[in-house]
Amino acid sequence: MGRRLLLLGPPGAGKGTQATMLCRVLGIPHISTGVILRAAVAAGTELGRKAEAIMASGELVSDEIVIGIVRERLAESDAACGYLLDGFPRTVAQADALGADAVEVAIVIDVADDEVVKRLMQRAAEEGRADDTEDVIRNRLTVYRRETAPLIDYYSKAVVTIDGVGSVGEILCRSVLALRQEGEE
Ligand code: AMP
């Protein structure tokens, strides 16, 4: 079973939830640039101050900043035996910087746009995330299509696509089965 994993999919596909559960099942660290950046914003660090307005608009923080964050995180000892990347890479430049060997399997969570907008609006009402207003949601989807969706082709040899509609447990099972099949090939 691949242990250097990447989770891809549009905002609202459920990547964060799936990543947390999958990492528990596989015993590997969950590396999410969104989580790291939100923590920096909450802590008011220099990084947080740089990233805050960009994140609130739904645009991407600079490649240079996130590549630095991920390099540092991957150098920590718990990442030596594998990891699950969530929200990084988000551009081809980030993928180039990461290097092809860093991703054994890229799991793409497939969810249609209408469903994604519906889910994100619901999350906005429930959690009040600063980047979950309707305009920002639409912008995040546009940015995803333009910058991040091309990574599905970029990683085509490593990609497994799973249906992202269903219960959290169902989707987790699909990911685990897909990884098992990949490992057997
Ligand atoms: P996420 O929680 O992954 O949806 O990330 C929330 C926001 O953090 C994104 O909309 C971006 O503004 C920023 N962000 C997270 N990861 C990256 C990345 N790899 N590259 C650029 N910006 C990022």
Side-chain angles (χ1 to χ4, degrees):
M1 196 180 281
R3 287 178 302 179
R4 293 196 298 273
L5 309 180
L6 163 65
L7 211 49
L8 275 174
K15 293 191 299 296
T17 308
Q18 287 302 319
T20 304
M21 297 182 59
L22 208 49
C23 285
R24 249 181 239 153
V25 170
L26 302 175
I28 52 176
H30 174 197
I31 300 181
S32 159
T33 41
V35 168
I36 294 169
L37 288 167
R38 275 189 292 282
V41 171
T45 63
E46 195 191 335
L47 167 65
R49 283 195 298 276
K50 278 188 197 157
E52 189 168 14
I54 303 169
M55 292 172 74
S57 71
E59 292 295 321
L60 296 182
V61 174
S62 78
D63 287 336
E64 193 193 342
I65 288 180
V66 288
I67 288 166
I69 291 174
V70 172
R71 284 225 168 101
E72 269 180 34
R73 182 63 189 85
L74 288 178
E76 287 178 36
S77 57
D78 66 339
C81 293
Y83 45 76
L84 188 150
L85 294 170
D86 162 19
F88 180 96
R90 243 181 170 95
T91 65
V92 169
Q94 292 175 21
D96 282 340
L98 181 66
D101 288 349
V103 175
E104 284 174 312
V105 183
I107 303 171
V108 178
I109 305 185
D110 187 32
V111 181
D113 281 3
D114 286 355
E115 172 70 16
V116 159
V117 173
K118 200 176 83 188
R119 288 186 193 179
L120 288 173
M121 294 303 292
Q122 200 175 337
R123 185 165 82 186
E126 285 166 10
E127 294 176 17
R129 243 176 75 160
D131 55 358
D132 272 350
T133 64
E134 184 162 359
D135 282 352
V136 177
I137 287 169
R138 294 205 182 276
N139 193 33
R140 290 173 72 210
L141 268 174
T142 306
V143 170
Y144 172 78
R145 274 191 227 105
R146 189 182 64 222
E147 305 286 346
T148 310
L151 295 181
I152 298 173
D153 278 344
Y154 183 99
Y155 288 115
S156 62
K157 289 198 190 102
V159 158
V160 295
T161 302
I162 60 162
D163 179 3
V165 179
S167 71
V168 169
E170 279 165 353
I171 298 163
L172 179 68
C173 283
R174 287 175 201 150
S175 301
V176 171
L177 283 175
L179 285 175
R180 203 164 282 163
Q181 278 161 6
E182 272 292 296
E184 281 163 7
E185 272 168 16

